[in-house]
Amino acid sequence: MLITETAVPDVFRIDPQPLPDHRGRFYEALRRGPLEAAVGHAVEIRQVHCTVSGRNVLRGLHATTLPPGQAKILTCVRGAVLTMVVDMRVGSPGFGRYEAVRQDAGAGTALYLPDGIGLGYVALADDTCMNYLCTEEYVPGMVIDVDALDPELGLPWELTGKPVRSARDAAAPSLRAAASAGILPTYEDCLRVRRPVPAAGERTGI
């Protein structure tokens, strides 16, 4: 697999290297050792969940509070999406910076998002399924919402019509308002919660 850092600091793109033959193809979707070597800290999966969306459904932008935090590895396993990742870490050198990545089931491209990174995506096909590998279990109230259509962010969604959104997502504040309200994590706190890569023989999880 090829692991490269995106324009958003600490967010990594994971591109599998498929091996095709007459039966189809094989590829490694994720391997913990190379991922931890790239990101520089431990990654331990504690929860897996999925979303299923119709075409033109827009989810996000969502981040999580610290504590507990929740880093993610996001993959499209059916259909296709246009994904946006936004640096929401107050004090980060990349605060407000975004990266747009198309993810589809055929390519298998994954994204690693550490704590403090906002996530949103629009489904480009009906019955699109996104798979999340999460480093912490969900806790009610942990999700931070920011408006995916915040004009100051200017995310290039390339929408062809009015997106389908939840009432909560549509009512979310701008990034500036969220920062002013003190609901965003700080860059320092996001770095502080990272755990060192375990020594050989000490690994748990994936």
Side-chain angles (χ1 to χ4, degrees), residues 114-137:
D115 290 315
I117 302 299
L119 166 68
Y121 53 83
V122 62
L124 305 178
D126 285 329
D127 202 31
T128 288
C129 181
M130 300 295 286
N131 176 259
Y132 297 67
L133 306 180
C134 304
T135 60
E136 298 292 342
E137 296 180 25

Side-chain angles (χ1 to χ4, degrees), residues 3-5 12 32-41:
I3 304 175
T4 53
E5 191 169 16
F12 287 80
R32 184 175 182 177
L35 178 63
E36 289 182 334
V39 305
H41 55 86

Side-chain angles (χ1 to χ4, degrees), residues 17-147:
Q17 306 295 293
L19 300 173
D21 65 16
H22 66 282
R23 300 165 298 173
R25 57 183 180 157
F26 166 87
Y27 63 84
E28 289 186 343
L30 180 67
R31 198 174 351 152
R32 184 175 182 177
L35 178 63
E36 289 182 334
V39 305
H41 55 86
V43 179
E44 183 175 334
I45 302 305
R46 297 176 183 269
Q47 179 173 319
V48 180
H49 59 258
C50 299
T51 62
V52 178
S53 305
R55 183 188 297 271
N56 217 34
V57 167
L58 175 58
R59 296 180 183 266
L61 301 165
H62 301 146
T64 52
T65 59
L66 282 174
Q70 192 185 64
K72 304 173 183 70
I73 300 168
L74 182 75
T75 311
C76 180
V77 295
R78 188 172 63 244
V81 299
L82 178 61
T83 301
M84 301 287 172
V85 293
V86 179
D87 194 338
M88 295 186 181
R89 302 169 295 182
V90 175
S92 166
F95 182 73
R97 191 180 303 169
Y98 70 83
E99 175 95 345
V101 179
R102 182 186 169 102
Q103 295 180 270
D104 61 71
T109 297
L111 291 168
Y112 170 74
L113 282 64
D115 290 315
I117 302 299
L119 166 68
Y121 53 83
V122 62
L124 305 178
D126 285 329
D127 202 31
T128 288
C129 181
M130 300 295 286
N131 176 259
Y132 297 67
L133 306 180
C134 304
T135 60
E136 298 292 342
E137 296 180 25
Y138 172 77
V139 176
M142 72 188 296
V143 177
I144 298 169
D145 303 302
V146 167
D147 185 7

